[in-house]
Amino acid sequence: MKNAPDFADGITAETVKEHGLTEAEYDVILDRMGRAPNLVELGIFSVMWSEHCSYKSSRVHLAKFPTTGPRVICGPGENAGVVDIGDGQAVIFKMESHNHPSYIEPYQGAATGVGGILRDVFTMGARPVALLNALRFGSPDHPKTRSLVSGVVSGIGGYGNCVGVPTVAGETNFHTGYDGNILVNAMAVGIADQDRVFYSAARGPGDPILYVGSKTGRDGIHGATMASAEFDEDSDEKRPTVQVGDPFTEKLLIEACLELMASGAVVAIQDMGAAGLTSSSVEMAGKGGVGIELDMDSVPQREEAMTAYEMMLSESQERMLVILQPGKESVAKAIFDKWELDAEVIGHTTDTGRMVLKHHGEIVCDIPLDPLSEDAPKYERPYTPTTPPVRLSPADVAAPADYGQALKTLMAAPDMASKRWIWEQYDRHVMADTADNSQSGGGAAVVRVHGTDKALAVCADVTPRYCAADPHQGGRQAVAEAYRNLTATGAEPLAITDCLNFGNPEKPETMGQFVGCVEGMAEACAALDFPVVSGNVSLYNETRGKGIPPTPAVGAVGLIADIVMRASIANAKDGDTLYLLGDCTGELGQSMYLRECAGREAGAPPPVDLALEKKLGAWVRRAIGRGATVCVHDISDGGLIAAASEIALSSGVGVTLDAPPADLPAHAFLFGEDQARYLIAASGEGARRLEEKAAEHGVTLTKIGSFGGDSVAVDGLLDVPLADLRTAHESWLPSFMAGPIAHEDAA
């Protein structure tokens, strides 16, 4: 960094560092501006060049994702992805992280994560119809875990329930790798008419810019910068950077924005998310290739004497920025007056390619826009690929002394135990279109497209222990499992969104995990015709030098053409035959059995055969569509016996499995986590057709048991009463949460 003459008044090298900028980045700012930035300009550069906003460490690798397809209307680059679902309709969806804020202030961090992802969807003209979440907490033994779970779940429920959008699916894991950095990933799904989808790019100079929603306060200032840094001993001091949400205002904002869009007054619209007014104005102007001029005196403010710096960097919630058709200002203001929301014209677009801010009659910012967006730093960071461990053979893993006890241990383990305590706090059925919610045991939720016979299947998936052992296979598996979960409902998989959660990208080992996962995901998406249409990258999830396990969460959406022709985990009935679709080699590496029953985390994760995943997925969807089965469940955590138990628990009927095959050890057959496998229940004519079509298409379909009775049994190995298994499965989380809540400053 150059010496004092290259700093504006009141700015020092330490000021630059506090804004998260490196010396080299500050030198680039000097070069692009031709002078030293003032504090307002420095703050704008700092948030726009933060990892959270610029993706400077990940953009080069994100380009590897397939992002197009016959149904893709809009891929990455907008607020959310847009996919054709027929009949002139589109599904619009996105997943994002709110990790750092949720660790610092769990309730508001999680609540505003929900609010932010909703705005990403309705800003494009969609009415939100479903919410999902993917949560990772530390070890249950960690003193903060219980309070974090309580706060996050309350925040998600408190916001989603009040705003009136059902929370229908998700997953919750516990692992010591998240002790210092929990993950709160939120996903929203909406429906819009294809000819009424709205985008964020400005169109030209002279258009008025309207600020709408809540007033601007000092909450959330530098939230994007905080989300782009590691935690340390002073993390609790960052509470002021956590935003405060108001779901009732959000509900009004949804209705007002949709009404404004219907009026024909909107040129472009963008929510004020990370970096608030700065990112929304920069992105709209940058995408449109125009300039922007704002009068900060016109910004609605809820606090006295706010500076331009504070207003531009505030992340106050429930706010939007709209570019209007000239002359439509009164139409817009009347709509927002009706909904009792602020709406003020605060500026206009220009032809200068610059951002100009005026405050109290003075120009307080005048910077070129290109360096803030297209010309922002982009790094190809060095990386060290992860060396995968060797595969474990079944002989490398001891069989349980008591198979029944092993099954109960698995089903009561924190990751596999029922999450009823969580999802009962969420309104799953508001709007009256939820046909099946995944929290009751299935892999994907089903939501009817209102007023039609169509439905959407939605899910969120990733297996972090696989990604840590072998990022490439873990990335492939995350996409493949989401594909299977949609398929198991009968849905045609359409596309995915993602939330890529990793540690410090400046560490070659962490960057190697990121690259491995991305490349694995990209391969799976290409092979399965399952493009990436939106997403989010969350890096620097690290505390005191220790990063989280690599966690590339995949949010997926599929289409059911006729909601009547769908399958569910809960549809097995007395007398049904249980079939296994797919082959079994007994992959125990990184399995739940290995971790929970043998106390080890070792070995390579199961390999993913993408061609087989595609072939079997198509076969399952045809079987459901022909009405041959209404009960399908994919096999994942815990292996075959866990999946069979989940069907039994959800359906309320026992299941008895035949003795394992002689050529494979029983524990490998029952607990192995081989991929590309499904369990299918059928009877009578449906069973006959399944067997006939399996032979016709050359897929492996094996009778392995039948439903009936009141226990989960395996011939000669175990017989666990269904009531006992249900108690084990459903009691862990309520018992855990009934314990004492640690004080917030617990280590």
Side-chain angles (χ1 to χ4, degrees):
M1 190 179 293
K2 298 182 177 66
N3 295 320
D6 294 309
F7 295 116
D9 289 346
I11 295 177
T12 65
E14 184 62 27
T15 309
V16 173
K17 182 179 178 181
E18 289 171 353
H19 280 73
L21 295 164
T22 67
E23 295 182 8
E25 287 170 345
Y26 185 74
D27 285 341
V28 173
I29 294 172
L30 295 178
D31 177 72
R32 298 295 189 270
M33 291 188 63
R35 61 174 174 80
N38 63 33
L39 185 61
V40 176
E41 295 163 339
L42 183 69
I44 289 171
F45 271 104
S46 81
V47 293
M48 292 308 299
W49 284 11
S50 69
E51 193 72 60
H52 194 75
C53 291
S54 73
Y55 292 0
K56 57 191 175 186
S57 297
S58 59
R59 275 186 291 163
V60 66
H61 299 289
L62 298 179
K64 300 171 183 176
F65 283 143
T67 58
T68 60
R71 286 186 177 270
V72 176
I73 296 171
C74 178
E78 269 294 339
N79 289 289
V82 185
V83 178
D84 180 5
I85 58 171
D87 306 309
Q89 293 179 305
V91 58
I92 298 179
F93 59 99
K94 173 80 173 291
M95 178 183 271
E96 280 203 342
S97 62
H98 231 224
N99 303 334
H100 283 49
S102 298
Y103 184 81
I104 294 169
E105 214 306 301
Y107 184 95
Q108 290 297 346
T112 53
V114 174
I117 200 63
L118 284 170
R119 290 193 297 279
D120 278 338
V121 166
F122 76 73
T123 191
M124 299 195 71
R127 178 168 291 281
V129 298
L131 288 165
L132 300 81
N133 54 72
L135 312 177
R136 321 283 165 185
F137 296 102
S139 166
D141 295 330
H142 191 275
K144 291 192 75 167
T145 296
R146 192 177 286 108
S147 63
L148 289 169
V149 173
S150 177
V152 165
V153 171
S154 295
I156 291 171
Y159 204 100
N161 296 353
C162 291
V163 84
V165 178
T167 300
V168 298
E171 57 179 358
T172 303
N173 294 157
F174 297 84
H175 192 273
T176 187
Y178 303 103
D179 283 349
N181 284 265
I182 65 171
L183 301 184
V184 176
N185 296 170
M187 177 176 167
V189 181
I191 301 292
D193 291 334
Q194 291 181 23
D195 60 356
R196 301 299 293 170
V197 176
F198 289 81
Y199 298 98
S200 59
R203 68 175 179 184
D207 289 340
I209 298 172
L210 186 74
Y211 170 119
V212 301
S214 294
K215 290 180 169 61
T216 294
R218 292 187 170 94
D219 53 323
I221 292 175
H222 270 300
T225 305
M226 178 268 290
S228 306
E230 296 180 21
F231 279 157
D232 54 28
E233 291 80 358
D234 300 322
S235 294
D236 280 350
E237 295 178 8
K238 297 176 180 176
R239 285 182 190 275
T241 65
V242 177
Q243 312 93 321
V244 177
D246 180 351
F248 299 104
T249 298
E250 181 100 339
K251 175 60 175 174
L252 298 177
L253 190 60
I254 292 173
E255 301 304 331
C257 286
L258 293 178
E259 184 174 336
L260 179 65
M261 292 166 176
S263 75
V266 176
V267 172
I269 184 168
Q270 172 80 37
D271 79 294
M272 296 190 209
L277 185 52
T278 291
S279 64
S280 55
S281 57
V282 168
E283 289 171 11
M284 296 177 85
K287 290 174 183 177
V290 301
I292 193 165
E293 184 173 312
L294 302 179
D295 177 8
M296 305 309 294
D297 295 326
S298 299
V299 173
Q301 301 160 52
R302 69 166 182 261
E303 298 186 44
E304 296 293 329
M306 290 192 71
T307 66
Y309 177 97
E310 291 171 327
M311 284 185 274
M312 291 303 293
L313 271 59
S314 167
E315 292 184 7
S316 294
Q317 297 292 285
E318 294 86 40
R319 302 180 300 159
M320 309 284 282
L321 202 62
V322 187
I323 297 179
L324 294 173
Q325 301 278 1
K328 295 291 187 179
E329 295 91 334
S330 60
V331 171
K333 293 192 75 168
I335 290 171
F336 283 87
D337 284 346
K338 167 188 165 184
W339 291 100
E340 298 182 344
L341 294 170
D342 282 291
E344 296 293 340
V345 174
I346 64 169
H348 59 275
T349 56
T350 69
D351 60 3
T352 65
R354 302 181 71 83
M355 168 179 274
V356 176
L357 307 179
K358 296 181 178 178
H359 193 214
H360 300 328
E362 302 286 335
I363 293 177
V364 295
C365 172
D366 185 353
I367 52 181
L369 283 164
D370 281 348
L372 296 175
S373 52
E374 293 303 314
D375 194 28
K378 182 166 65 174
Y379 298 134
E380 293 191 44
R381 297 198 184 275
Y383 64 89
T384 302
T386 302
T387 301
V390 298
R391 177 182 178 270
L392 295 179
S393 73
D396 296 323
V397 181
D402 182 334
Y403 277 84
Q405 184 57 50
L407 175 59
K408 287 193 285 187
T409 297
L410 268 184
M411 299 302 289
D415 280 7
M416 295 193 63
S418 168
K419 303 305 184 295
R420 179 183 295 273
W421 183 92
I422 292 174
W423 55 257
E424 283 191 337
Q425 298 185 50
Y426 305 151
D427 191 333
R428 291 105 61 210
H429 297 285
V430 65
M431 302 180 78
D433 281 316
T434 304
D436 195 3
N437 67 87
S438 78
Q439 293 118 333
S440 60
V446 177
V447 179
R448 182 191 293 271
V449 178
H450 192 74
T452 76
D453 294 327
K454 298 180 296 188
L456 299 175
V458 295
C459 64
D461 292 289
V462 66
T463 309
R465 63 185 187 277
Y466 291 177
C467 296
D470 185 342
H472 186 260
Q473 286 294 342
R476 288 160 64 101
Q477 192 273 342
V479 174
E481 185 173 354
Y483 184 88
R484 288 197 303 271
N485 280 328
L486 298 181
T487 291
T489 69
E492 171 198 354
L494 296 178
I496 73 167
T497 183
D498 60 57
C499 198
L500 308 179
N501 307 274
F502 291 81
N504 185 344
E506 297 167 48
K507 294 182 176 180
E509 294 77 14
T510 299
M511 200 65 208
Q513 294 175 336
F514 181 87
V515 173
C517 285
V518 166
E519 290 180 350
M521 292 171 66
E523 287 179 12
C525 289
L528 299 173
D529 300 321
F530 206 21
V532 181
V533 296
S534 61
N536 170 245
V537 179
S538 176
L539 303 179
Y540 294 97
N541 291 289
E542 191 153 322
T543 296
R544 302 183 184 97
K546 183 178 180 181
I548 62 164
T551 311
V554 171
V557 175
L559 177 66
I560 299 174
D562 182 353
I563 194 170
V564 173
M565 305 304 292
R566 73 181 193 277
S568 166
I569 187 177
N571 286 343
K573 62 184 185 300
D574 196 342
D576 279 355
T577 297
L578 179 64
Y579 292 92
L580 168 63
L581 177 67
D583 297 312
C584 185
T585 60
E587 296 291 339
L588 290 167
Q590 301 300 327
S591 66
M592 289 297 296
Y593 170 78
L594 186 70
R595 190 176 85 186
E596 299 298 333
C597 297
R600 298 165 58 194
E601 293 187 48
V608 180
D609 183 333
L610 295 170
L612 185 60
E613 293 279 7
K614 188 173 185 180
K615 178 180 179 179
L616 295 187
W619 191 90
V620 169
R621 293 192 296 275
R622 286 194 299 268
I624 296 170
R626 291 191 300 263
T629 179
V630 293
C631 181
V632 180
H633 188 31
D634 91 303
I635 298 176
S636 55
D637 285 353
L640 187 155
I641 188 62
S645 297
E646 287 166 347
I647 294 176
L649 289 168
S650 296
S651 301
V653 60
V655 62
T656 299
L657 273 61
D658 300 334
D663 60 348
L664 192 64
H667 68 298
F669 176 75
L670 293 174
F671 302 117
E673 296 182 5
D674 308 54
Q675 301 295 291
R677 296 188 300 163
Y678 299 82
L679 290 182
I680 302 173
S683 62
E685 178 62 16
R688 187 195 66 77
R689 280 187 287 164
L690 284 177
E691 294 175 17
E692 178 184 278
K693 291 297 182 181
E696 182 181 319
H697 291 93
V699 301
T700 303
L701 184 73
T702 309
K703 289 183 182 179
I704 63 166
S706 61
F707 286 93
D710 57 5
S711 67
V712 173
V714 178
D715 189 18
L717 287 177
L718 65 90
D719 191 337
V720 180
L722 201 58
D724 291 355
L725 195 60
R726 188 180 304 281
T727 297
H729 185 54
E730 295 199 352
S731 64
W732 179 80
L733 188 54
S735 297
F736 171 67
M737 293 307 298
I741 300 293
H743 190 268
E744 64 181 18
D745 63 1

PDB file of all heavy atoms in Angstrom, residues 482-495:
ATOM      1  N   ALA A 482     -30.423 -35.667  -4.266  1.00  0.00           N
ATOM      2  CA  ALA A 482     -31.548 -34.767  -4.538  1.00  0.00           C
ATOM      3  C   ALA A 482     -32.370 -35.284  -5.721  1.00  0.00           C
ATOM      4  O   ALA A 482     -33.610 -35.259  -5.696  1.00  0.00           O
ATOM      5  CB  ALA A 482     -31.031 -33.363  -4.814  1.00  0.00           C
ATOM      6  N   TYR A 483     -31.693 -35.773  -6.741  1.00  0.00           N
ATOM      7  CA  TYR A 483     -32.348 -36.349  -7.920  1.00  0.00           C
ATOM      8  C   TYR A 483     -33.224 -37.531  -7.511  1.00  0.00           C
ATOM      9  O   TYR A 483     -34.370 -37.656  -7.940  1.00  0.00           O
ATOM     10  CB  TYR A 483     -31.256 -36.778  -8.896  1.00  0.00           C
ATOM     11  CG  TYR A 483     -31.706 -37.315 -10.230  1.00  0.00           C
ATOM     12  CD1 TYR A 483     -31.939 -36.464 -11.306  1.00  0.00           C
ATOM     13  CD2 TYR A 483     -31.843 -38.680 -10.445  1.00  0.00           C
ATOM     14  CE1 TYR A 483     -32.306 -36.959 -12.554  1.00  0.00           C
ATOM     15  CE2 TYR A 483     -32.215 -39.185 -11.679  1.00  0.00           C
ATOM     16  CZ  TYR A 483     -32.443 -38.318 -12.734  1.00  0.00           C
ATOM     17  OH  TYR A 483     -32.793 -38.813 -13.967  1.00  0.00           O
ATOM     18  N   ARG A 484     -32.686 -38.409  -6.638  1.00  0.00           N
ATOM     19  CA  ARG A 484     -33.449 -39.567  -6.183  1.00  0.00           C
ATOM     20  C   ARG A 484     -34.649 -39.162  -5.327  1.00  0.00           C
ATOM     21  O   ARG A 484     -35.734 -39.750  -5.430  1.00  0.00           O
ATOM     22  CB  ARG A 484     -32.558 -40.525  -5.379  1.00  0.00           C
ATOM     23  CG  ARG A 484     -31.556 -41.287  -6.198  1.00  0.00           C
ATOM     24  CD  ARG A 484     -31.013 -42.483  -5.433  1.00  0.00           C
ATOM     25  NE  ARG A 484     -30.410 -42.128  -4.161  1.00  0.00           N
ATOM     26  CZ  ARG A 484     -29.135 -41.794  -3.995  1.00  0.00           C
ATOM     27  NH1 ARG A 484     -28.317 -41.752  -5.043  1.00  0.00           N
ATOM     28  NH2 ARG A 484     -28.656 -41.489  -2.803  1.00  0.00           N
ATOM     29  N   ASN A 485     -34.464 -38.181  -4.464  1.00  0.00           N
ATOM     30  CA  ASN A 485     -35.565 -37.768  -3.599  1.00  0.00           C
ATOM     31  C   ASN A 485     -36.733 -37.198  -4.390  1.00  0.00           C
ATOM     32  O   ASN A 485     -37.900 -37.428  -4.054  1.00  0.00           O
ATOM     33  CB  ASN A 485     -35.073 -36.759  -2.562  1.00  0.00           C
ATOM     34  CG  ASN A 485     -34.375 -37.416  -1.396  1.00  0.00           C
ATOM     35  OD1 ASN A 485     -34.701 -38.526  -1.010  1.00  0.00           O
ATOM     36  ND2 ASN A 485     -33.394 -36.738  -0.822  1.00  0.00           N
ATOM     37  N   LEU A 486     -36.444 -36.431  -5.433  1.00  0.00           N
ATOM     38  CA  LEU A 486     -37.516 -35.945  -6.303  1.00  0.00           C
ATOM     39  C   LEU A 486     -38.161 -37.106  -7.045  1.00  0.00           C
ATOM     40  O   LEU A 486     -39.389 -37.221  -7.125  1.00  0.00           O
ATOM     41  CB  LEU A 486     -36.969 -34.929  -7.302  1.00  0.00           C
ATOM     42  CG  LEU A 486     -36.361 -33.645  -6.740  1.00  0.00           C
ATOM     43  CD1 LEU A 486     -35.896 -32.745  -7.875  1.00  0.00           C
ATOM     44  CD2 LEU A 486     -37.334 -32.897  -5.844  1.00  0.00           C
ATOM     45  N   THR A 487     -37.304 -37.976  -7.598  1.00  0.00           N
ATOM     46  CA  THR A 487     -37.794 -39.126  -8.353  1.00  0.00           C
ATOM     47  C   THR A 487     -38.718 -39.993  -7.516  1.00  0.00           C
ATOM     48  O   THR A 487     -39.732 -40.504  -8.012  1.00  0.00           O
ATOM     49  CB  THR A 487     -36.598 -39.951  -8.862  1.00  0.00           C
ATOM     50  OG1 THR A 487     -35.913 -39.206  -9.873  1.00  0.00           O
ATOM     51  CG2 THR A 487     -37.032 -41.289  -9.428  1.00  0.00           C
ATOM     52  N   ALA A 488     -38.407 -40.176  -6.236  1.00  0.00           N
ATOM     53  CA  ALA A 488     -39.197 -41.051  -5.372  1.00  0.00           C
ATOM     54  C   ALA A 488     -40.626 -40.561  -5.179  1.00  0.00           C
ATOM     55  O   ALA A 488     -41.495 -41.322  -4.755  1.00  0.00           O
ATOM     56  CB  ALA A 488     -38.509 -41.208  -4.015  1.00  0.00           C
ATOM     57  N   THR A 489     -40.898 -39.294  -5.495  1.00  0.00           N
ATOM     58  CA  THR A 489     -42.276 -38.790  -5.449  1.00  0.00           C
ATOM     59  C   THR A 489     -42.975 -38.967  -6.793  1.00  0.00           C
ATOM     60  O   THR A 489     -44.192 -38.769  -6.887  1.00  0.00           O
ATOM     61  CB  THR A 489     -42.313 -37.288  -5.101  1.00  0.00           C
ATOM     62  OG1 THR A 489     -41.773 -36.527  -6.204  1.00  0.00           O
ATOM     63  CG2 THR A 489     -41.536 -36.998  -3.837  1.00  0.00           C
ATOM     64  N   GLY A 490     -42.205 -39.284  -7.838  1.00  0.00           N
ATOM     65  CA  GLY A 490     -42.733 -39.343  -9.192  1.00  0.00           C
ATOM     66  C   GLY A 490     -42.444 -38.090  -9.992  1.00  0.00           C
ATOM     67  O   GLY A 490     -42.862 -37.971 -11.146  1.00  0.00           O
ATOM     68  N   ALA A 491     -41.707 -37.152  -9.405  1.00  0.00           N
ATOM     69  CA  ALA A 491     -41.447 -35.874 -10.072  1.00  0.00           C
ATOM     70  C   ALA A 491     -40.309 -35.976 -11.080  1.00  0.00           C
ATOM     71  O   ALA A 491     -39.315 -36.666 -10.850  1.00  0.00           O
ATOM     72  CB  ALA A 491     -41.117 -34.797  -9.043  1.00  0.00           C
ATOM     73  N   GLU A 492     -40.455 -35.259 -12.181  1.00  0.00           N
ATOM     74  CA  GLU A 492     -39.366 -35.077 -13.131  1.00  0.00           C
ATOM     75  C   GLU A 492     -38.405 -34.036 -12.559  1.00  0.00           C
ATOM     76  O   GLU A 492     -38.795 -32.887 -12.354  1.00  0.00           O
ATOM     77  CB  GLU A 492     -39.907 -34.577 -14.476  1.00  0.00           C
ATOM     78  CG  GLU A 492     -38.827 -34.165 -15.463  1.00  0.00           C
ATOM     79  CD  GLU A 492     -39.342 -33.292 -16.593  1.00  0.00           C
ATOM     80  OE1 GLU A 492     -40.577 -33.090 -16.684  1.00  0.00           O
ATOM     81  OE2 GLU A 492     -38.511 -32.796 -17.375  1.00  0.00           O
ATOM     82  N   PRO A 493     -37.146 -34.401 -12.274  1.00  0.00           N
ATOM     83  CA  PRO A 493     -36.202 -33.400 -11.756  1.00  0.00           C
ATOM     84  C   PRO A 493     -35.975 -32.287 -12.779  1.00  0.00           C
ATOM     85  O   PRO A 493     -35.664 -32.564 -13.947  1.00  0.00           O
ATOM     86  CB  PRO A 493     -34.932 -34.216 -11.507  1.00  0.00           C
ATOM     87  CG  PRO A 493     -35.406 -35.633 -11.340  1.00  0.00           C
ATOM     88  CD  PRO A 493     -36.555 -35.757 -12.300  1.00  0.00           C
ATOM     89  N   LEU A 494     -36.125 -31.043 -12.352  1.00  0.00           N
ATOM     90  CA  LEU A 494     -36.013 -29.904 -13.263  1.00  0.00           C
ATOM     91  C   LEU A 494     -34.652 -29.221 -13.186  1.00  0.00           C
ATOM     92  O   LEU A 494     -33.969 -29.055 -14.189  1.00  0.00           O
ATOM     93  CB  LEU A 494     -37.102 -28.875 -12.958  1.00  0.00           C
ATOM     94  CG  LEU A 494     -38.549 -29.308 -13.174  1.00  0.00           C
ATOM     95  CD1 LEU A 494     -39.484 -28.171 -12.777  1.00  0.00           C
ATOM     96  CD2 LEU A 494     -38.792 -29.717 -14.624  1.00  0.00           C
ATOM     97  N   ALA A 495     -34.266 -28.792 -11.993  1.00  0.00           N
ATOM     98  CA  ALA A 495     -33.056 -27.984 -11.850  1.00  0.00           C
ATOM     99  C   ALA A 495     -32.719 -27.865 -10.373  1.00  0.00           C
ATOM    100  O   ALA A 495     -33.533 -28.203  -9.503  1.00  0.00           O
ATOM    101  CB  ALA A 495     -33.257 -26.589 -12.457  1.00  0.00           C
TER     102      ALA A 495
END
